[in-house]
Amino acid sequence: MSPMVKRKGEKFTLPSKYLLFILTILCTAMMLFTFATDFFDKPFNSIVGYVLVPFEKGIGKAGSWFSGRKDELVQIRSLLQENAALKEEVARLTEENTLLQQDKYELNKLRQLFELDEQYEEYHKVGARIISRDSGNWYSAFIIDKGSDDGLKEDMNVIAGGGLVGRISAVGPNWARVTAIISDNANVSGMTLATEDNMIVTGSLKGMNEGVIYFSKLVDSKGVVQAGDKIVTSDVSDKFLPGILIGYVLTITPDNNNLTKSGTLIPAVDFEHLSEVLVILDQKQIIEEN
């Protein structure tokens, strides 16, 4: 039997050293053939072209896509941060604008009170802020933040806006209750500023729903009182100082007795929006008869 070939039954075997020698010769021959010719170049290039190029293109596209998403995420993060900063800025500016509007409102109120103070400069006055009011749409009765400690007393007159608000009806150490002239059954002795004809002005919350209060017992013998005339407190009022504006005539109707007239007034004060008032410290002097 040949030393190179051994048979074990039907199985053919080749010694390892001979197999290694044959493979070495084949590899060396293939290397020499490859260097000497371009026989394997085209098939190999074709394989590379069909396999590696699409793979490289896919990797390139994937890289571009991930790079784009990264840039987008960076931009989104930047936009979110910018948006948060803008929201904070808007909130700050809104707060500043609200404060400025409040300051403007307070300034306008103070300016009105200052002008009213000058209008009735013959009287001593103290400013007060409304801290509560009765239920309803109108400031018919309310509490102010000044009281007897500030020199306030019952029946002192209260003014605001364009004229008469009412009078103090109760006083505490640091508070006072004001009853307005629009309250039901509140009566004020008034007169026309132009003719000095007297009348009785009566409050009415029902009438205030139409923006008016009522007057009666007007003696207008000459028939000169007309819509738009100013009505002020009269000299004969027992609780109100004279010459304080009450309102303006809206309508006039002759009474059944043909001697007096009645009608409606538009109040000089906006009784739906009040926040600050002036309290006149001077009181009507009543002469008591012995």
Side-chain angles (χ1 to χ4, degrees):
M1 181 179 296
S2 172
M4 295 180 60
V5 180
K6 295 181 181 179
R7 289 185 181 273
K8 294 182 180 180
E10 296 296 326
K11 188 176 179 179
F12 171 79
T13 59
L14 183 68
S16 299
K17 59 181 180 179
Y18 297 113
L19 179 61
L20 179 60
F21 178 73
I22 293 170
L23 290 176
T24 301
I25 293 173
L26 287 174
C27 289
T28 302
M30 291 291 293
M31 290 174 61
L32 294 174
F33 184 78
T34 300
F35 282 114
T37 65
D38 58 355
F39 179 78
F40 292 105
D41 288 349
K42 292 181 179 181
F44 183 76
N45 290 337
S46 297
I47 294 173
V48 171
Y50 282 111
V51 177
L52 295 181
V53 171
F55 182 72
E56 290 178 353
K57 287 183 178 180
I59 292 176
K61 289 181 180 180
S64 299
W65 186 86
F66 281 112
S67 178
R69 298 295 79 75
K70 177 183 176 182
D71 293 340
E72 289 178 0
L73 289 175
V74 172
Q75 292 177 357
I76 290 173
R77 187 179 294 109
S78 177
L79 290 174
L80 289 175
Q81 293 175 350
E82 184 179 352
N83 185 51
L86 289 174
K87 285 183 177 180
E88 292 180 359
E89 183 68 12
V90 168
R92 184 183 66 81
L93 292 175
T94 301
E95 183 179 0
E96 288 184 0
N97 185 53
T98 302
L99 293 175
L100 288 174
Q101 289 180 345
Q102 291 177 350
D103 291 343
K104 181 180 178 181
Y105 175 78
E106 293 291 336
L107 182 60
N108 289 336
K109 287 292 184 182
L110 292 175
R111 184 180 290 112
Q112 291 176 1
L113 290 178
F114 179 75
E115 293 174 353
L116 191 63
D117 182 44
E118 289 187 329
Q119 183 178 349
Y120 299 100
E121 61 182 357
E122 67 271 24
Y123 300 128
H124 298 89
K125 296 170 287 293
V126 62
R129 185 181 296 274
I130 298 173
I131 55 177
S132 69
R133 70 170 185 177
D134 289 356
S135 60
N137 297 328
W138 311 100
Y139 283 83
S140 58
F142 53 86
I143 305 297
I144 57 177
D145 63 351
K146 297 291 175 64
S148 57
D149 292 345
D150 304 287
L152 272 58
K153 299 178 181 179
E154 288 189 17
D155 292 332
M156 283 185 171
N157 295 180
V158 179
I159 58 177
L164 182 64
V165 172
R167 64 182 181 86
I168 293 178
S169 55
V171 181
N174 56 359
W175 62 269
R177 181 178 179 83
V178 178
T179 300
I181 60 172
I182 65 171
S183 298
D184 292 330
N185 301 320
N187 296 321
V188 181
S189 178
M191 68 178 184
T192 60
L193 186 62
T195 64
E196 297 185 350
D197 290 321
N198 292 321
M199 65 176 67
I200 300 297
V201 178
T202 304
S204 171
L205 293 180
K206 181 179 179 180
M208 280 303 298
N209 290 328
E210 299 176 0
V212 298
I213 53 177
Y214 302 106
F215 72 87
S216 60
K217 299 182 180 181
L218 169 64
V219 179
D220 181 25
S221 57
K222 297 181 180 180
V224 295
V225 178
Q226 58 185 354
D229 284 354
K230 290 183 178 180
I231 306 301
V232 299
T233 52
S234 71
D235 295 327
V236 298
S237 176
D238 60 343
K239 296 183 181 297
F240 294 95
L241 297 165
I244 302 176
L245 182 62
I246 299 174
Y248 306 87
V249 175
L250 180 63
T251 62
I252 306 176
T253 304
D255 295 331
N256 293 331
N257 58 18
N258 292 322
L259 297 177
T260 59
K261 297 179 180 179
S262 303
T264 58
L265 301 177
I266 298 176
V269 175
D270 181 3
F271 284 96
E272 191 175 5
H273 306 95
L274 282 176
S275 56
E276 293 90 11
V277 296
L278 290 177
V279 179
I280 299 178
L281 300 177
D282 303 306
Q283 288 185 278
K284 189 71 177 286
Q285 299 295 323
I286 304 297
I287 299 177
E288 296 182 359
E289 297 182 358
N290 296 324

